[in-house]
Amino acid sequence: GENVEQHPSTLSVQEGDSAVIKCTYSDSASNYFPWYKQELGKRPQLIIDIRSNVGEKKDQRIAVTLNKTAKHFSLHITETQPEDSAVYFCAASIPFNAGKSTFGDGTTLTVKP
Amino acid sequence: DTAVSQTPKYLVTQMGNDKSIKCEQNLGHDTMYWYKQDSKKFLKIMFSYNNKELIINETVPNRFSPKSPDKAHLNLHINSLELGDSAVYFCASSPRKEANYGYTFGSGTRLTVV
C-alpha cells in the first residue's frame, strides 16, 4: 500500500519568514495530494491540493509543488503569520482506491512573533 | 449549518464499557470515513463506507463495528473498551469514491478510557 513520509516533524520560524514542508510517497499510481491544517483542538481542514497533471499550484501565501518523477511534493508558506501556527498534514491518494487518503505523520509549525 | 457533525464531542468511560459515536453529513457526499488520531497526532484510517456499503476495513479490532443506516450517517460502536482506545476519532466525508477529493472532517470525538 501507499506510504507517505513527511519532514520535518517540527518547524519553528520567525514571523514573516517562509516555511517549507516536504513529503514523499511510495506508490507511483498516486495522483491526488491534499494538504490539511489542524489548529490545536480543532479538526483538520483542507487548505490546498494538487493533482498529478499539475506541477505547481498557488493560493495567496500558500503554494504546493509536485515532482512526480521523484515522488515528492512540498508545501510552501510565505510571509508566515502567528495564525499559521498549526499541525500540517500531507496526504496521497491512489485513484479508484475508495477515495482513501494516506496521511503523513504531520509537521508542527510554530511561527514566533 | 455544520457540514459534518459528530456526537458526542467528549466521551469519558471506564474500561470494559461499550460506547457509540455518531456522525452525520449534510453535504450530499457519497463516501464517509472514520479516522483515529492518536496522542502523537498520527491520522490512521479505520473504515470507509460508500452509499451505505463498507468499502474499506483496515486492520481494526473487531470490537469496533461501524454502521451506516444511510449515506448521510456513519456511526461507530466500540465494545469492551480498552485503555489503548483512548484517542480522538474523526469522521470525514468526500464526494465520491471513484475519484479523489479532499475530505471534510467532523469536529472529532475525544474518547478517554479510564
Side-chain angles (χ1 to χ4, degrees), chain A residues 28-105:
Chain A
S28 56
S30 289
N31 71 344
Y32 177 66
F33 307 92
W35 286 87
Y36 295 85
K37 175 184 180 182
Q38 186 179 24
E39 296 176 357
L40 190 62
K42 301 288 182 67
R43 73 191 78 192
Q45 291 195 294
L46 180 68
I47 56 172
I48 195 167
D49 57 11
I50 191 167
R51 297 186 185 275
S52 58
N53 58 346
V54 175
E56 183 173 356
K57 185 176 178 180
K58 191 173 181 180
D59 182 3
Q60 299 183 349
R61 295 186 298 108
I62 293 174
V64 58
T65 58
L66 171 65
N67 183 326
K68 286 167 50 181
T69 303
K71 290 190 283 186
H72 67 68
F73 56 113
S74 300
L75 178 72
H76 305 252
I77 306 174
T78 58
E79 301 172 21
T80 54
Q81 300 167 4
E83 51 265 39
D84 294 329
S85 296
V87 179
Y88 291 82
F89 293 95
C90 64
S93 299
I94 300 170
F96 304 107
N97 190 29
K100 171 184 169 183
S101 281
T102 300
F103 285 78
D105 287 344

Side-chain angles (χ1 to χ4, degrees), chain A residues 31-32 34 36 38 40-46 49 51 87 89 93-106, chain B residues 2 4 9 31 33 35 37 40-45 48 55-56 58 90 94 96-103 105-107:
Chain A
N31 71 344
Y32 177 66
Y36 295 85
Q38 186 179 24
L40 190 62
K42 301 288 182 67
R43 73 191 78 192
Q45 291 195 294
L46 180 68
D49 57 11
R51 297 186 185 275
V87 179
F89 293 95
S93 299
I94 300 170
F96 304 107
N97 190 29
K100 171 184 169 183
S101 281
T102 300
F103 285 78
D105 287 344
Chain B
T2 302
V4 181
K9 191 168 177 62
T31 313
Y33 309 83
Y35 273 79
Q37 186 170 46
K40 294 183 178 179
K41 302 290 188 183
F42 300 155
L43 278 163
K44 300 298 182 190
I45 191 168
S48 175
I55 54 173
I56 294 175
E58 296 289 298
F90 284 102
S94 69
R96 303 201 315 265
K97 71 175 177 67
E98 290 85 2
N100 292 312
Y101 295 92
Y103 295 164
F105 281 90
S107 56

Side-chain angles (χ1 to χ4, degrees), chain A residues 6-46:
Chain A
Q6 184 171 347
H7 299 281
S9 56
T10 60
L11 180 58
S12 181
V13 300
Q14 285 296 132
E15 182 176 1
D17 287 351
S18 294
V20 180
I21 303 170
K22 298 182 179 182
C23 290
T24 59
Y25 59 98
S26 61
D27 196 324
S28 56
S30 289
N31 71 344
Y32 177 66
F33 307 92
W35 286 87
Y36 295 85
K37 175 184 180 182
Q38 186 179 24
E39 296 176 357
L40 190 62
K42 301 288 182 67
R43 73 191 78 192
Q45 291 195 294
L46 180 68

